[in-house]
Amino acid sequence: MSRQMIMGNQAIALGALKAGVKLAAGYPGTPSSEIIEFIAKYKDRTGTYVEWSVNEKAAAEVAAGASYAGSRTLVTMKQVGLNVASDPVMCLSYVGVKGGMVIVSADDPGPISSQTEQDTRVFASYSKLPCFDPSTPLEAFEMIQEAFELSEKYHTPVLLRPTTRVDHAYESMEFPSLEKNSLTSEFEKDTNRWVIFPRSSYLNHKRIFDRNEHILPAEFSDSKWNFIEGNGKASTGVAAGGISWCYVKEAVSILKARYPESEELKNISFLKIGTPYPFPEKLAEKYLTENKRIVVFEELDPVIENALIHICGKTGMKAEVCGKADGTVPEAGELSVETVVSVLEKVFFNSEKKEESGAESVPELPVRPPVLCAGCPHRGSFYAVKQAMKGKKTAYCGDIGCYTLGNAKPLDMTDTCLCMGADITMAQGFYHNENDRHCFSFIGDSTFFASGITGVINGVYNQARQTVCVLDNSTTAMTGHQPHPGTGMTMMGKTVEKLSIKKILEAAGVNPVLEADPFNQEQAVAAVKQASEAEGVSAVIFKAPCIAVASKLGYKFNGPVKVQAEKCIGCQKCIRELGCPALSVSSSVLKNGKHRAEIDASLCTGCGLCRDVCPVKAIC
């Protein structure tokens, strides 16, 4: 073993491997993606089977099969992915598992890269699954091993809920020894156990209720992940869980340095919650008895806060619990050390004064809105549709991925974006409401496999009229270029037959299914016009690789293009219509008083889209 700096997601992967996980499946999504990739790195050493499934539901079901046979399994996703997986997960809660099964659902306070700020701890309560909430990478490493043990002890899936700052934080820890998993398992038929019947669900509900309301709250009260620290002689105690625990500890250290004579800070008492569901009530009752006022710090929903208020109501204790409900703590977004310092300073000293910490003030960073990369093929796809449908009554339904950025000016080609796969079915809703509006759906290749196919079938069967635009860049770009069924590569490193999106669309009854190169605007615009004239569901597959993987796929870049200063008239059409980050306005002034365009050669890939747009052929 050696001591290394290890990322939180790597720590989760190592913890699972250390626990003997035999199958790991997931769907990529920030902040969880690195877990599967790190497990794949050691698959030959441990013998673990690992896959990127087509979506989170499939991943949970693949893992359930292996778990029923007795193997330890891991499922990974981000928090919104848990919605996709909820159907099998809710049923697994009742049916149970045999081999330990841990579901990692990474929450995204902020949110930084998600549609919602939903809290997996609440889903744990809703689905009746035990939940661990790590504060650091090392805690995540140890917790997931205990989660496997708990899963097998109570025959239930267990949730591990890291948040972004835990997933992506680094901590020095011993790299564990990883050995070949030699355990074999075999599925044993047992209809009464593995087939979900109404009667068995009723009986299992009673068993789960007893476990979650009586057994686990007592067991978790003695867990090392939940504890009280301090003597409780201060006027106010502080409770926290997850990454907020680290913020609280650092914030109190800062305040102690700022107010060295404060007896309040010296005597402050802390409650740390590492298993938010089922809640460690016995421990919390002890804390509530010792502290008459408690401030709770936690990100997303007030889970710990509500649990403490519930205990007060149930037991008749008079402790005052402050947090999100009374506005003491911000109700949304990420917390930070600075936020906790500000809140505690007001609580203990009735002061919001921010004293100088000694550090130099740092200027605010400039606002930099997200934008499609220079040379991204999606820009050409959006532009082709925009040109083809100019002046027509349309609706442009977007989806989750890089192409969500098609909403930004100047492209402005995403009228809606709800969740994965919704672009196709929402377009059908628009059409059935307004038959004279031609509706377009923009979906990526990975998302098409994840949740787009069912929408296509629905549209064909229910006789909608729409054009599905598949922006096929040969990878799952936004989350880190993971493989999918259209790439011809598995996470086990095997080359397999690619699934043809064109054949799938044709098999579903889509007609016509056209293919176009988004960098060949003449061809792309013609394809869009032809598809839009069809009566039913039509499709255009815009096929060009993501610039980040193009070289690996054998594509060669042409090299950056240039603006010919003597030809440029300063119309800036290339800048105004494309929004490519490689294009900018020159400081030099032309004779007509306008500023010509210029191209940053370090960013330009030579895709040529601006060359095609230029009305005076000034770009070559």
Side-chain angles (χ1 to χ4, degrees):
M1 293 193 295
S2 62
R3 199 160 191 86
Q4 299 180 19
M5 292 296 289
I6 294 175
M7 180 201 270
N9 279 341
Q10 295 172 344
I12 292 169
L14 288 170
L17 292 171
K18 184 71 176 172
V21 67
K22 195 171 181 181
L23 182 147
Y27 186 77
T30 304
S32 69
S33 302
E34 294 86 356
I35 302 170
I36 287 290
E37 290 167 349
F38 204 66
I39 289 176
K41 190 175 177 180
Y42 295 95
K43 66 183 187 307
D44 294 335
R45 188 189 299 184
T46 62
T48 304
Y49 171 79
V50 56
E51 74 169 39
W52 282 124
S53 304
V54 293
N55 63 22
E56 296 84 352
K57 179 176 182 292
E61 291 162 350
V62 168
S67 176
Y68 280 14
S71 293
R72 286 189 168 184
T73 63
L74 177 71
V75 190
T76 72
M77 61 196 72
K78 66 186 299 180
Q79 91 284 15
V80 287
L82 195 52
N83 303 336
V84 181
S86 63
D87 199 0
V89 170
M90 294 293 287
C91 294
L92 281 169
S93 173
Y94 281 71
V95 174
V97 295
K98 183 178 179 182
M101 181 176 179
V102 177
I103 302 168
V104 178
S105 174
D107 284 356
D108 184 19
I112 298 172
S113 60
S114 304
Q115 306 96 302
T116 70
E117 278 202 307
Q118 68 190 66
D119 194 321
T120 292
R121 297 175 301 167
V122 177
F123 193 95
S125 171
Y126 174 54
S127 61
K128 306 174 179 58
L129 298 179
C131 181
F132 286 77
D133 187 12
S135 298
T136 66
L138 181 58
E139 274 195 8
F141 172 75
E142 295 177 351
M143 274 186 175
I144 194 168
Q145 294 177 70
E146 188 168 323
F148 277 109
E149 298 289 338
L150 189 80
S151 174
E152 289 178 353
K153 181 178 179 180
Y154 291 103
H155 306 295
T156 177
V158 174
L159 284 163
L160 181 77
R161 176 252 189 186
T163 54
T164 306
R165 300 301 170 186
V166 175
D167 287 305
H168 292 163
Y170 279 79
E171 185 170 3
S172 176
M173 50 185 282
E174 293 290 337
F175 196 95
S177 60
L178 300 176
E179 299 174 354
K180 196 81 172 179
N181 186 340
S182 58
L183 295 175
T184 58
S185 58
E186 186 174 346
F187 176 64
E188 296 177 2
K189 294 185 179 183
D190 184 349
T191 303
N192 290 329
R193 181 174 182 181
W194 301 126
V195 179
I196 190 165
F197 288 119
R199 177 62 182 171
S200 60
S201 291
Y202 164 76
L203 294 173
N204 282 330
H205 192 177
K206 291 168 69 72
R207 174 182 56 78
I208 293 167
F209 184 87
D210 182 55
R211 180 193 74 200
N212 289 353
E213 295 298 320
H214 305 111
I215 299 173
L216 281 179
E219 186 172 324
F220 282 170
S221 289
D222 295 327
S223 166
K224 71 175 184 178
W225 306 117
N226 307 305
F227 56 84
I228 297 170
E229 187 178 286
N231 59 26
K233 294 180 180 177
S235 62
T236 304
V238 178
I243 191 66
S244 301
W245 171 253
C246 300
Y247 296 156
V248 163
K249 298 296 286 184
E250 186 173 344
V252 171
S253 297
I254 292 171
L255 288 172
K256 283 183 175 178
R258 190 174 293 178
Y259 302 96
E261 305 301 324
S262 170
E263 292 299 317
E264 284 284 283
L265 292 175
K266 290 176 184 175
N267 293 311
I268 196 168
S269 176
F270 303 94
L271 174 65
K272 163 77 155 59
I273 299 296
T275 61
Y277 184 80
F279 200 73
E281 289 196 17
K282 185 178 169 186
L283 180 75
E285 283 184 31
K286 181 176 185 295
Y287 188 71
L288 288 165
T289 303
E290 296 171 350
N291 293 271
K292 301 305 178 190
R293 187 188 188 206
I294 298 145
V295 180
V296 183
F297 290 94
E298 56 190 324
E299 291 178 323
L300 303 179
D301 291 338
V303 172
I304 298 172
E305 181 182 338
N306 286 345
L308 294 177
I309 293 171
H310 173 76
I311 293 170
C312 286
K314 193 165 75 171
T315 60
M317 283 189 278
K318 303 297 183 185
E320 178 187 2
V321 179
C322 308
K324 294 174 183 286
D326 65 355
T328 302
V329 177
E331 69 274 21
E334 282 193 299
L335 293 178
S336 66
V337 174
E338 291 75 20
T339 305
V340 177
V341 166
S342 176
V343 171
L344 290 181
E345 196 161 38
K346 187 176 181 182
V347 167
F348 283 107
F349 306 106
N350 194 27
S351 169
E352 294 181 89
K353 180 182 176 184
K354 295 181 180 177
E355 298 187 6
E356 293 296 331
S357 63
E360 292 184 10
S361 60
V362 178
E364 290 286 328
L365 291 172
V367 176
R368 290 177 291 186
V371 63
L372 292 170
C373 300
C376 174
H378 298 339
R379 182 175 288 104
S381 305
F382 284 122
Y383 193 71
V385 177
K386 191 170 189 174
Q387 296 307 304
M389 302 308 293
K390 193 176 289 184
K392 305 281 181 64
K393 186 178 180 181
T394 57
Y396 301 116
C397 301
D399 213 296
I400 306 298
C402 296
Y403 42 92
T404 307
L405 301 175
N407 76 316
K409 301 286 185 183
L411 291 172
D412 191 21
M413 287 293 287
T414 302
D415 297 323
T416 67
C417 184
L418 180 64
C419 61
M420 289 186 72
D423 63 310
I424 297 175
T425 35
M426 287 191 72
Q428 295 160 25
F430 284 125
Y431 166 72
H432 290 306
N433 186 60
E434 297 175 75
N435 289 169
D436 61 338
R437 183 185 295 277
H438 196 79
C439 300
F440 286 80
S441 308
F442 294 103
I443 190 167
D445 41 345
S446 181
T447 310
F448 175 82
F449 289 110
S451 52
I453 295 173
T454 50
V456 171
I457 294 171
N458 188 70
V460 172
Y461 178 73
N462 290 299
Q463 299 183 303
R465 182 169 182 259
Q466 66 181 128
T467 299
V468 178
C469 296
V470 183
L471 310 188
D472 183 357
N473 62 3
S474 301
T475 189
T476 315
M478 180 169 263
T479 51
H481 306 107
Q482 291 82 7
H484 61 66
T487 62
M489 181 69 71
T490 74
M491 227 19 207
M492 294 297 283
K494 294 182 178 177
T495 302
V496 295
E497 189 73 24
K498 294 180 184 178
L499 268 67
S500 167
I501 294 174
K502 186 172 190 290
K503 289 182 178 178
I504 291 171
L505 288 168
E506 289 173 339
V510 177
N511 185 30
V513 180
L514 307 171
E515 292 180 303
D517 178 355
F519 294 126
N520 183 336
Q521 280 292 293
E522 185 176 350
Q523 177 203 59
V525 170
V528 174
K529 287 182 177 177
Q530 181 183 343
S532 67
E533 291 169 358
E535 287 302 315
V537 179
S538 59
V540 179
I541 302 172
F542 292 100
K543 194 164 180 58
C546 170
I547 58 167
V549 300
S551 296
K552 296 178 182 175
L553 297 176
Y555 287 83
K556 293 183 179 178
F557 294 110
N558 297 320
V561 295
K562 297 179 180 177
V563 177
Q564 294 177 286
E566 69 279 9
K567 289 187 177 179
C568 182
I569 58 175
C571 69
Q572 298 173 15
K573 183 180 180 183
C574 53
I575 299 172
R576 289 185 288 103
E577 296 199 0
L578 298 180
C580 176
L583 288 161
S584 61
V585 178
S586 171
S587 59
S588 61
V589 182
L590 298 170
K591 290 181 180 178
N592 60 8
K594 296 181 179 178
H595 293 264
R596 67 174 175 85
E598 64 180 9
I599 295 171
D600 186 340
S602 66
L603 294 176
C604 180
T605 63
C607 73
L609 191 59
C610 56
R611 181 187 57 215
D612 295 342
V613 169
C614 180
V616 294
K617 307 300 179 188
I619 300 175
C620 61

